[in-house]
Amino acid sequence: MKYAIIGGTGVYSLGDEVKEITMDTPYGKIDFTVMEKDGKEIVFLPRHGKGHGRPPHLINYLGNMWALKEYGVEFIFSTVAVGSTRNDIIPGDLVLIRDFLDFTKSRPMTFYDGSDGVVHVSMAEPYCGMLCKKIIKYNNDDIENIKDNIVYVCTEGPRFETAAEIRFYSQIGGDVVGMTNVPEVVLAKELSMCYCAVGIVTNMCTGLVSVEASGLEIVSIVDDKKNYLTNMFVDIILNGELRTDICSCRSSLIKV
Ligand code: HPA
C-alpha cells in the first residue's frame, strides 16, 4: 500500500528520505519525495511545488492528484493553513475539516471534461470518514488537540478576504478560510483515493482582530504544528490498519 502526505505552507522534514521522484503527468512535471518505513511507502508532496513557487490559484492541482494516483497512492493526509472566523478557534489550533464551501473562481477543477461522457462525483462525504475517525481516535476525542466538524471556505486568493466577506462566510456556516483545499479534495474523490485534511490555524480572519498576523507569526505557528502532524500521520499510516472497503471513497462517481 502507498500513502501520501501533502504539505502546504512550511516544508516537512520526513527524516529518512529515500527517493526524489519527478513524474511526467498530462498536466506537467510533478516533484515528490518517497520514504519507506516498515515496508510502507509514504509520499511527501509539496502542494505548491518544489520551493513553494506557485500561489494558491496557480497550484497544479490536477497534476498533483494525477501523480499520486499514478504512483499507486490509496490514502492521502493533507494539511492546509487556515484563518479562523470563530472566536473559539484561535491561531495554533488544529481543525479536522469535514465539509467545504467553494468560492474559487478560475481553477481547473475536474478530470471529467466530457471526453468520458458526463460524470458527477458525490460530495456527500468529501473527506474520508474512515481516515477522519483514525485522526479523532489518535487525538483521544480531545478538542484541546483537534477541533472536529469544521467547514472550510475555499477562496480564490491570492488576496486575503475583506471584512465583509468574512462576515458573510461566517454567517453561511464557514468555520475556517483557506485558498488551497478545493479542488484538491474533489480531485482525490474523482480518482477514488481516500483523502482527509487537517487545518493549522495561522491567524484570525480579516476583521476579527485589529492587528493581522504577520508573515513571521504565521511561519512560527505552522512550524510548531508540523512535526506533531507529521508524527500523527506516520503513526496512523503505520499502526492505523487503514482499509479501502469501509468508506464511500471508491464508489462516489455517478456516470450519466
Ligand atoms: N484567509 C485565506 N487563506 C488563509 C488565511 C486567511 O485568513 N490564513 C491562512 N490561509
Side-chain angles (χ1 to χ4, degrees):
M1 284 278 197
K2 291 178 181 163
Y3 308 79
I5 297 174
I6 302 180
T9 308
V11 179
Y12 291 81
S13 161
L14 284 177
D16 354 57
E17 283 174 17
V18 287
K19 320 183 241 191
E20 298 278 345
I21 292 182
T22 300
M23 185 182 277
D24 264 320
T25 79
Y27 311 96
K29 288 188 195 310
I30 299 295
D31 295 307
F32 55 88
T33 306
V34 183
M35 75 164 191
E36 209 179 308
K37 253 192 188 307
D38 299 354
K40 293 179 168 158
E41 280 193 72
I42 306 177
V43 172
F44 171 69
L45 176 69
R47 175 183 292 116
H48 297 264
K50 251 186 180 170
H52 207 278
R54 288 172 181 255
H57 63 301
L58 297 177
I59 287 171
N60 190 349
Y61 296 101
L62 292 165
N64 283 349
M65 302 319 279
W66 197 95
L68 294 184
K69 182 70 180 181
E70 181 68 11
Y71 195 70
V73 166
E74 295 279 10
F75 305 100
I76 302 171
F77 296 83
S78 166
T79 62
V80 285
V82 294
S84 168
T85 70
R86 278 171 43 179
N87 287 324
D88 62 331
I89 298 178
I90 57 170
D93 282 353
L94 295 178
V95 293
L96 184 59
I97 300 168
R98 298 289 194 141
D99 211 338
F100 66 79
L101 293 161
D102 180 8
F103 284 90
T104 62
K105 293 175 186 159
S106 68
R107 329 177 159 183
M109 36 120 117
T110 181
F111 288 106
Y112 292 103
D113 55 8
S115 44
D116 293 327
V118 176
V119 180
H120 302 291
V121 64
S122 167
M123 284 291 112
E125 191 176 58
Y127 300 86
C128 173
M130 185 274 304
L131 289 183
C132 287
K133 262 195 201 135
K134 301 286 178 190
I135 289 173
I136 291 300
K137 190 167 165 226
Y138 180 93
N139 287 284
N140 305 315
D141 284 305
D142 188 349
I143 61 163
E144 292 301 319
N145 294 330
I146 193 162
K147 296 199 163 78
D148 195 6
N149 297 316
I150 295 298
V151 175
Y152 174 99
V153 177
C154 196
T155 64
E156 181 68 0
R159 68 167 176 85
F160 279 102
E161 301 72 38
T162 66
E165 285 171 330
I166 293 301
R167 283 196 300 277
F168 169 65
Y169 294 147
S170 172
Q171 279 169 19
I172 62 171
D175 301 308
V176 298
V177 182
M179 302 174 190
T180 58
N181 205 222
V182 181
E184 189 174 275
V185 54
V186 177
L187 298 173
K189 189 80 81 198
E190 284 192 351
L191 296 180
S192 299
M193 295 181 282
C194 292
Y195 179 100
C196 63
V198 176
I200 304 175
V201 180
T202 54
N203 59 284
M204 300 307 290
C205 284
T206 311
L208 291 184
V209 279
S210 50
V211 185
E212 290 186 19
S214 71
L216 268 183
E217 278 170 323
I218 290 183
V219 169
S220 91
I221 291 168
V222 173
D223 271 356
D224 283 350
K225 293 294 169 179
K226 72 184 183 187
N227 285 339
Y228 180 81
L229 282 186
T230 307
N231 290 338
M232 173 175 92
F233 292 150
V234 171
D235 191 276
I236 292 172
I237 287 167
L238 297 182
N239 307 310
E241 293 170 4
L242 304 183
R243 291 167 52 178
T244 55
D245 59 337
I246 48 173
C247 57
S248 55
C249 300
R250 280 154 198 76
S251 53
S252 290
L253 290 181
I254 299 132
K255 299 193 182 182
V256 182

